[in-house]
Amino acid sequence: MHTKHTHSLALRQTAMGDLSVDFPLFPPRVGEFRRDADPSLPWPLELDFDYSALDVSLFDAPRCGPSLGLGAWGPLMPPLTPQTNLGEGETPFFELAALADWAGIDRPVFIKDEGRNPTWSHKDRLNRCTVSAAQLDGAPGVIVASSGNHGASASAYAAAACLPCIVLASSTAPLAMQRFVAAYGAAALAVPSERRWDLMARLQAKTGFHPVSNLTPQAHTGHPFAIEGYKSIAYEIFRDLGGNAPGSVFVPTGYGELLYGVWKGFAELRALGLIERVPQLYSCESTVYGPLHSAMRDDQPVVSVPSPNGSTKALSIATPVGGLRGRRAILESGGAALAMDDEEIEAARAKLAQSGLWVEFSAAAGLAGLRQQAARERLPDGPVVCLATASGMKDVDGAGEGLPETDGSFEDATRALRENYGLEI
Amino acid sequence: MHTKHTHSLALRQTAMGDLSVDFPLFPPRVGEFRRDADPSLPWPLELDFDYSALDVSLFDAPRCGPSLGLGAWGPLMPPLTPQTNLGEGETPFFELAALADWAGIDRPVFIKDEGRNPTWSHKDRLNRCTVSAAQLDGAPGVIVASSGNHGASASAYAAAACLPCIVLASSTAPLAMQRFVAAYGAAALAVPSERRWDLMARLQAKTGFHPVSNLTPQAHTGHPFAIEGYKSIAYEIFRDLGGNAPGSVFVPTGYGELLYGVWKGFAELRALGLIERVPQLYSCESTVYGPLHSAMRDDQPVVSVPSPNGSTKALSIATPVGGLRGRRAILESGGAALAMDDEEIEAARAKLAQSGLWVEFSAAAGLAGLRQQAARERLPDGPVVCLATASGMKDVDGAGEGLPETDGSFEDATRALRENYGLEI
């Protein structure tokens, strides 16, 4: 009942913004690539597709039958293995009326809740693609450096693919994140973050395990199949808006893979003649590093920030290097690079919790960015979308207190409600 | 684009299995109800609908547009408020091929992953209904007694409805569960479990807050609108199987509301002429209480188990009273009441994690039940469905260790991989 569109139209690997670069689809080029045109920086690769063969009814096909995960968008995805289907994607997209008022705007605000993926973050869209690539490439295992959502997601997909997985994580991640990284049976170690990428490269060379996270610290270029999975977010938003693009999308941003993937999805829809323009994309970083914000301000292709400007609870987006893909997404969509401090992010996080959504601290950066930008200038016409990238469960730490205790008598309970919550019974 | 079927066809409140009982739809009868026919036990109420007015194309309508949550099944739901739409339901349903072999059967095993709801458990389907009822009834707040998923879900929906919420929880719940219960701004207290129901009744009487959990310890009867939300699980499975019923469904079971709701959904589909028979339903309890298992074995309407038979990690299904609704679902579907010890549940939990799904310990009881039952007798024809009720994040506790540490050198990392995981590099 759902066999119509499943095989991939991916043709080859090419370079971001330079279609003259041409490599066969397999093996995935996971190492460093430098363009002849500009050898000063490692450059991201991505996939090119046979768009002329695409049946665009893909975008209005009704969803029916068992979940295919990203297989539902098979023609515009890299080749995906059936074993790695965990039902990722198709995350709820809905308006939360209270948010427009709060952000001070007069158009509807939609949440795309990526905390409803198989491992409760957007990273599952990436790992469906990269772990499929590892499996199709005949890799003996998967290796990933990440103390958070990416590492846990990769280990879930490796488990589904029956591949061993090494995760180079961190002992400073929240307790829930550490348990999460270990939950799927990966060989997970806590590694000092400054030695992580070097160790990963050495372990990868020795084992032949397929790397599904970045190997190029100078400029994050990632896995060549990685960002294709994120395109599906654009497709789902387009379809759920009845075949329209929103006016703007606010994206919590670390290395910028998500941002670029969402941009590429909308850019494809425009190239296919299905929408007139790509929504303005806003990257939402933490001010403690904010490399993309700096790269845009100073017109640099890549910015590396050696040391943090303070501390932040937005661990999943606190990354020291940015540029390249993120710049392209912002420049070509007419958006902007935003940076938020923890106070702004916490206000957005609290507003979402008060509206019934408990998101990871980093995941609230999208809504925080919307509020910041709306105070600065009028947003383009059309609905506003905030991506909420992960579940609040990820932030659970061993620190902090349990619930206020009472002996269960009416008198003591009413006292506790009054003293702790100001509730007069 | 999705306005076709939204208004509720709910007519009235009636009694489970006794349609002569007749109360208007509002106000919801949240207190104890005793039938004249049998005043020895409090009896569950449920809703009756104007089935003759139903357009059955509801069940094959394509999903499109922004998520309506359970509003997608509006005609067969209680009246739902738009504010409480958090995009609940429409959880992924997919086959995991490795599970059939593991359970020793020769038919496909599907997972319905309820850990992908707004608060990562099936309870969101219930609370969309009960908190809507509170809102429509003009209640000044919501009150719930639960140390786990139910309490946190109720507080999320209360937040969405802008209603204050009191949660009577427990200090012995896992750390993640305590944080979760407090995350949405409810007034949450830790209360000794034996005093919880009495305190709830007194607070409810004093405040007029709408109770969305049970008030009748003698036999769990719950909120009269509660189980209607769970019917949607049956509808979604039916639709995703292309308009067919599975052969059997294995349901992690505490008080039996989920089990009864799933049964009622399939029973409605049969009454509407859409399926020929209801799948066999199997309740999957923990052996430490197992009241429904005892009620079935001893042919008692309700069984109360005063003290646990050992301890269990299956906290979300370790409930001391069962019967009534659970018995009806099992007897009318030709299923059975199963009970599993922690070793059996742990084996199922580990198998799911090795397949890429990290579920709450209690949520693995469905798959554990399948394996137990398959060893006992041949399952009916047709696909097998295991409900996975909640996310593994809920089990994160302060006890236990972090990840093995390494200094990040190749030599130390390979040692740590060998010593901790037996991985020879």
Side-chain angles (χ1 to χ4, degrees), chain A residues 1 61-68 83 85-90 92-96 110 113 115-120 155-160 162 164-166 168-171 175-192 195 198-199 202-203 206-207 209 239-242 349 352-359 390-414 416-417 420-421 423 425, chain B residues 1 61-68 83 85-90 92-96 110 113 115-120 155-160 162 164-166 168-171 175-192 195 198-199 202-203 206-207 209 239-242 349 352-359 390-414 416-417 420-421 423 425:
Chain A
M1 73 190 91
R63 286 162 276 176
C64 62
S67 173
L68 298 173
Q83 294 89 338
N85 174 26
L86 295 175
E88 62 284 334
E90 290 295 358
F93 176 75
F94 54 101
E95 188 181 348
L96 274 182
F110 287 85
D113 187 1
R116 311 277 283 278
N117 273 300
T119 75
W120 312 288
S155 63
Y157 281 84
C162 293
C165 180
I166 297 174
L168 305 181
S170 159
S171 59
L175 184 69
M177 214 49 119
Q178 293 194 52
R179 292 280 196 289
F180 178 39
V181 164
Y184 302 91
L189 298 178
V191 177
R195 302 190 75 167
D198 181 55
L199 177 60
R202 289 196 60 186
L203 286 171
K206 188 75 193 293
T207 59
F209 280 21
R239 186 205 51 207
D240 288 346
L241 287 174
R349 194 207 62 75
L352 286 166
Q354 287 158 18
S355 307
L357 292 183
W358 186 30
V359 304
S391 155
M393 303 291 306
K394 314 290 181 77
D395 285 328
V396 170
D397 211 331
E401 291 172 20
L403 300 172
E405 304 231 15
T406 146
D407 65 15
S409 68
F410 182 75
E411 293 67 28
D412 194 54
T414 51
L417 289 170
N420 291 282
Y421 301 104
L423 208 56
I425 306 284
Chain B
M1 76 191 86
R63 286 162 276 176
C64 62
S67 173
L68 299 173
Q83 294 91 338
N85 174 26
L86 296 174
E88 61 286 333
E90 289 297 356
F93 176 74
F94 54 101
E95 187 181 346
L96 273 183
F110 288 84
D113 188 0
R116 312 276 284 277
N117 274 299
T119 75
W120 313 288
S155 63
Y157 281 83
C162 293
C165 179
I166 297 173
L168 305 180
S170 160
S171 60
L175 185 68
M177 216 46 122
Q178 292 193 53
R179 292 281 196 288
F180 178 40
V181 164
Y184 302 92
L189 298 179
V191 177
R195 302 190 76 167
D198 181 56
L199 177 59
R202 288 196 61 186
L203 286 170
K206 188 77 193 293
T207 60
F209 279 21
R239 186 204 53 210
D240 288 347
L241 288 174
R349 193 206 63 74
L352 286 165
Q354 287 157 18
S355 308
L357 292 183
W358 186 30
V359 304
S391 156
M393 304 291 305
K394 313 291 181 74
D395 285 327
V396 170
D397 211 332
E401 292 172 21
L403 299 172
E405 304 230 16
T406 147
D407 66 15
S409 67
F410 182 75
E411 293 67 28
D412 194 53
T414 51
L417 289 169
N420 291 282
Y421 301 106
L423 209 55
I425 306 283

Side-chain angles (χ1 to χ4, degrees), chain B residues 289-416:
Chain B
Y289 288 107
L292 179 54
H293 182 256
S294 300
M296 289 294 294
R297 183 194 57 207
D298 303 339
D299 196 23
Q300 295 294 313
V302 171
V303 163
S304 186
V305 181
S307 57
N309 171 27
S311 71
T312 178
K313 291 193 284 177
L315 300 173
S316 292
I317 57 170
T319 51
V321 60
L324 294 181
R325 286 172 302 212
R327 273 175 58 89
R328 188 163 185 231
I330 290 169
L331 290 170
E332 302 227 351
S333 73
L338 309 177
M340 266 71 58
D341 62 29
D342 272 21
E343 208 174 313
E344 292 171 279
I345 300 175
E346 171 55 25
R349 193 206 63 74
K351 181 67 192 172
L352 286 165
Q354 287 157 18
S355 308
L357 292 183
W358 186 30
V359 304
E360 189 185 356
F361 192 85
S362 299
L367 179 61
L370 164 61
R371 196 187 207 193
Q372 188 191 84
Q373 181 65 15
R376 190 175 289 128
E377 61 183 63
R378 189 169 167 78
L379 292 170
D381 288 341
V384 174
V385 178
C386 295
L387 300 189
T389 40
S391 156
M393 304 291 305
K394 313 291 181 74
D395 285 327
V396 170
D397 211 332
E401 292 172 21
L403 299 172
E405 304 230 16
T406 147
D407 66 15
S409 67
F410 182 75
E411 293 67 28
D412 194 53
T414 51
R415 175 202 57 76

Side-chain angles (χ1 to χ4, degrees), chain A residues 144-421:
Chain A
V144 57
S146 155
S147 38
N149 287 314
H150 188 33
S153 172
S155 63
Y157 281 84
C162 293
L163 289 174
C165 180
I166 297 174
V167 186
L168 305 181
S170 159
S171 59
T172 60
L175 184 69
M177 214 49 119
Q178 293 194 52
R179 292 280 196 289
F180 178 39
V181 164
Y184 302 91
L189 298 178
V191 177
S193 60
E194 68 280 8
R195 302 190 75 167
R196 226 196 266 166
W197 280 349
D198 181 55
L199 177 60
M200 174 153 153
R202 289 196 60 186
L203 286 171
Q204 188 241 330
K206 188 75 193 293
T207 59
F209 280 21
H210 195 90
V212 299
S213 61
N214 188 56
L215 284 170
T216 56
Q218 189 195 351
H220 188 286
T221 60
H223 188 288
F225 292 19
I227 64 96
E228 310 301 331
Y230 293 137
K231 296 187 311 190
S232 56
I233 294 175
Y235 307 159
E236 291 169 20
I237 292 171
F238 164 78
R239 186 205 51 207
D240 288 346
L241 287 174
N244 294 295
S248 52
V249 184
F250 291 81
V251 185
T253 298
Y255 291 115
E257 290 183 300
L258 173 61
L259 181 71
Y260 186 76
V262 171
W263 172 78
K264 185 173 179 181
F266 283 114
E268 287 176 334
L269 292 168
R270 184 183 52 189
L272 291 163
L274 297 170
I275 57 175
E276 281 181 26
R277 57 174 194 78
V278 166
Q280 289 186 359
L281 295 187
Y282 294 90
S283 61
C284 301
E285 293 183 298
S286 160
T287 50
V288 304
Y289 288 105
L292 179 56
H293 182 256
S294 300
M296 290 294 295
R297 184 193 57 207
D298 303 339
D299 196 23
Q300 294 295 313
V302 170
V303 163
S304 186
V305 181
S307 57
N309 171 25
S311 71
T312 178
K313 290 193 284 178
L315 300 174
S316 294
I317 57 171
T319 53
V321 59
L324 296 181
R325 286 172 302 210
R327 272 175 58 88
R328 187 160 187 235
I330 290 169
L331 290 170
E332 303 226 352
S333 73
L338 310 177
M340 267 72 57
D341 62 28
D342 273 21
E343 207 172 313
E344 290 171 281
I345 300 175
E346 171 55 24
R349 194 207 62 75
K351 182 64 192 174
L352 286 166
Q354 287 158 18
S355 307
L357 292 183
W358 186 30
V359 304
E360 189 184 359
F361 192 85
S362 299
L367 179 61
L370 163 60
R371 195 187 207 193
Q372 188 189 84
Q373 181 63 15
R376 189 176 289 129
E377 60 184 59
R378 189 169 165 79
L379 291 171
D381 287 342
V384 175
V385 178
C386 294
L387 300 189
T389 41
S391 155
M393 303 291 306
K394 314 290 181 77
D395 285 328
V396 170
D397 211 331
E401 291 172 20
L403 300 172
E405 304 231 15
T406 146
D407 65 15
S409 68
F410 182 75
E411 293 67 28
D412 194 54
T414 51
R415 173 203 58 75
L417 289 170
R418 183 175 61 247
E419 289 179 4
N420 291 282
Y421 301 104

